[in-house]
């Protein structure tokens, strides 16, 4: 089902979508005429009818296809005609979208390239949303895009080799350039610094950064300094609009100041960095295990998502997806040492 979903939602890539009225606007002449970016090969925020390719959605869609290509069950079903094939040319189209969406600063924005300046925010007519006048490069979009290019390059090393390796290098340089003085990264699409740190660490490592580099170590120290006495981490979306870590943000909506989603993000970051403070990892893991409900669910806590700095959004799946992912990654990284006494 996942393969079939990725196949049918890739923008202007199926026979059905290419026979639609929308496909004519993908020509070079029409893109120039209507100031449209290339769309073919990208993945959108929702379904193919949405139509707009987004950098991180395209990156994650591409990574999803690449991962499923390693499944004998999927490849057998493709060979037998049970599910439709996704030809390499379609992956090349996705790579083209990602490469063309890279900004001059080396990062990636969301829907389009950066076409303006930060001072445009002085003209922001909104009374609610912040940082909306141009599309900025983000740590999240940059991580998703460069890791997709890196994983594609591992499977297709001869396709646009120089362009891809240079794009990955530039992406890593951008991510280093926006790391804050305290070692953290500001997350723009969720709450907030625990989230940003996960993307920052994972992106840098995929770009070739050593686990022992100063940037990685500094971020680990930041996260470790924010771990709460109960083993968890917690902040709410005041971090987003204050752009400062909300140390007590989850006191009202979490568990003694910690939250399961923030804790999962912090553990994802630390385990990706292979943090040597195993006791901190162990305490975080035990916190997530303790917070799991008898039914297998994790509790719904405070808002964990955000758009445009001040629009809080509740993604109900986060409370289960990220703890499961974090626990799995910690076990894969640290193994049975997590079971040992302090």
């Amino acid at each position: 089902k996942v393969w079939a979903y990725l196949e049918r939602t890739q923008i202007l890539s199926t026979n059905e979508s290419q026979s639609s009225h929308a496909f004519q606007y993908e020509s070079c002449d029409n893109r120039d005429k209507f100031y449209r970016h290339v769309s073919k090969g990208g993945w959108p925020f929702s379904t193919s009818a949405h139509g707009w390719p987004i950098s991180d959605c395209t990156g994650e869609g591409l990574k999803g296809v690449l991962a499923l290509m390693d499944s004998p069950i999927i490849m057998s079903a493709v060979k037998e005609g049970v599910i439709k094939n996704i030809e390499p040319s379609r992956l090349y189209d996705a790579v083209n979208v990602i490469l063309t969406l890279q900004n001059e600063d080396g990062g990636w924005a969301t829907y389009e390239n950066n076409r303006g300046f930060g001072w445009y925010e002085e003209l922001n007519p909104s009374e609610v949303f912040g940082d909306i006048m141009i599309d900025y490069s983000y740590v999240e979009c940059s991580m998703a895009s460069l890791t997709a290019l890196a994983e594609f390059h591992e499977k297709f090393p001869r396709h646009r080799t120089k362009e891809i390796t240079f794009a990955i290098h530039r992406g890593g340089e951008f991510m280093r350039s926006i790391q804050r003085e305290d070692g953290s990264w500001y997350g723009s699409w969720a709450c907030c610094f625990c989230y940003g740190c996960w993307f920052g660490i994972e992106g840098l490592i995929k770009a070739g950064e050593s686990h022992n580099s100063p940037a990685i170590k500094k971020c680990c120290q930041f996260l470790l300094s924010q771990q709460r006495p109960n083993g968890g981490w917690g902040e709410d979306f005041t971090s987003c609009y204050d752009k400062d870590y909300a140390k007590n943000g989850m006191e009202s909506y979490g568990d003694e100041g910690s939250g399961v989603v923030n804790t999962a993000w912090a553990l994802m970051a630390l385990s990706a960095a292979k943090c040597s403070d195993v006791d901190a990892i162990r305490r975080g893991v035990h916190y997530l295990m303790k917070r799991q409900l008898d039914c297998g669910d994790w509790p719904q806590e405070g808002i964990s998502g955000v758009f445009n700095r001040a629009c809080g959004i509740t993604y109900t799946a986060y409370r289960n997806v990220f703890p499961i992912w974090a626990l799995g990654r910690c076990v894969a990284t640290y193994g049975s040492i997590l079971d040992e006494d302090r």
Side-chain angles (χ1 to χ4, degrees), residues 177-229:
S177 74
I178 62 169
Q179 186 177 21
R180 291 161 64 111
E181 187 62 31
D182 62 9
S184 68
W185 278 271
Y186 175 79
S188 296
W189 304 106
C191 309
C192 167
F193 290 96
C194 292
Y195 183 72
C197 288
W198 165 39
F199 282 90
I201 285 178
E202 192 140 336
L204 279 185
I205 289 173
K206 202 67 177 182
E209 191 87 2
S210 166
H211 290 85
N212 294 317
S213 77
I216 300 298
K217 284 187 172 181
K218 198 171 185 180
C219 187
C220 287
Q221 287 302 313
F222 169 82
L223 288 172
L224 293 172
S225 72
Q226 303 298 341
Q227 189 172 25
R228 300 186 69 86

Side-chain angles (χ1 to χ4, degrees), residues 119-132:
W119 64 260
Y120 289 6
E121 297 300 336
E122 297 296 324
L123 306 176
N124 185 345
S126 170
E127 296 181 354
V128 179
F129 303 117
D131 303 335
I132 63 170

Side-chain angles (χ1 to χ4, degrees), residues 5-301:
Y5 176 80
L6 291 171
E7 190 280 327
R8 69 175 180 267
T9 55
Q10 191 179 13
I11 299 170
L12 299 177
S13 299
T14 64
N15 292 331
E16 293 81 3
S17 64
Q18 291 182 4
S19 63
S20 69
H21 180 69
F23 190 61
Q24 65 179 295
Y25 293 99
E26 188 65 7
S27 69
C28 291
D29 288 343
N30 275 323
R31 289 208 311 272
D32 289 342
K33 180 179 179 180
F34 296 105
Y35 300 93
R36 290 172 61 95
H37 192 86
V38 62
S39 298
K40 182 185 177 186
W43 271 273
F45 195 59
S46 55
T47 66
S48 58
H50 177 270
W52 293 98
I54 303 174
S55 64
D56 57 341
C57 296
T58 301
E60 297 301 336
L62 177 57
K63 287 193 289 184
V65 173
L66 293 170
L68 290 172
M69 286 173 63
D70 291 333
S71 167
I73 295 175
I74 294 294
M75 292 297 96
S76 176
V78 169
K79 186 176 182 180
E80 295 170 5
V82 176
I83 53 179
K84 294 181 180 180
N85 190 23
I86 300 177
E87 298 84 2
S89 61
R90 291 177 58 170
L91 305 186
Y92 301 163
D93 289 339
V95 166
N96 184 59
V97 169
I98 294 172
L99 288 173
T100 55
L101 280 174
Q102 189 171 27
N103 285 321
E104 290 184 6
D105 62 10
W108 281 264
T110 58
Y111 287 87
E112 62 182 8
N113 296 103
N114 185 305
R115 295 188 176 95
F117 304 94
W119 64 260
Y120 289 6
E121 297 300 336
E122 297 296 324
L123 306 176
N124 185 345
S126 170
E127 296 181 354
V128 179
F129 303 117
D131 303 335
I132 63 170
M133 296 299 288
I134 60 174
D135 207 355
Y136 300 90
S137 293
Y138 298 101
V139 65
E140 300 98 321
C141 297
S142 299
M143 179 277 237
S145 297
L146 76 83
T147 54
L149 291 176
E151 292 181 19
F152 172 85
H153 182 63
E154 292 170 4
K155 276 190 165 57
F156 298 90
R158 297 182 179 180
H159 182 76
R160 300 177 70 169
T161 304
K162 291 183 178 179
E163 292 174 82
I164 289 173
T165 53
F166 185 52
I168 293 170
H169 171 75
R170 290 179 62 219
E173 288 293 315
F174 166 76
M175 297 182 80
R176 276 186 286 272
S177 74
I178 62 169
Q179 186 177 21
R180 291 161 64 111
E181 187 62 31
D182 62 9
S184 68
W185 278 271
Y186 175 79
S188 296
W189 304 106
C191 309
C192 167
F193 290 96
C194 292
Y195 183 72
C197 288
W198 165 39
F199 282 90
I201 285 178
E202 192 140 336
L204 279 185
I205 289 173
K206 202 67 177 182
E209 191 87 2
S210 166
H211 290 85
N212 294 317
S213 77
I216 300 298
K217 284 187 172 181
K218 198 171 185 180
C219 187
C220 287
Q221 287 302 313
F222 169 82
L223 288 172
L224 293 172
S225 72
Q226 303 298 341
Q227 189 172 25
R228 300 186 69 86
N230 61 7
W233 281 262
E235 54 177 323
D236 68 358
F237 96 116
T238 59
S239 287
C240 303
Y241 59 76
D242 289 339
K243 293 192 174 182
D244 191 30
Y245 192 91
K247 293 184 177 181
N248 300 315
M250 290 297 286
E251 283 191 345
S252 298
Y253 304 105
D255 171 53
E256 297 178 345
S258 296
V260 295
V261 177
N262 291 131
T263 300
W265 289 332
L267 288 174
M268 293 279 284
L270 293 169
S271 55
K274 297 183 179 178
C275 174
S276 60
D277 191 340
V278 180
D279 181 58
I281 302 294
R282 184 186 296 112
R283 290 170 58 221
V285 166
H286 287 176
Y287 174 79
L288 287 182
M289 294 171 65
K290 180 188 73 173
R291 292 289 286 158
Q292 189 175 25
L293 305 176
D294 290 340
C295 63
D297 199 359
W298 272 269
Q300 182 64 52
E301 299 174 328

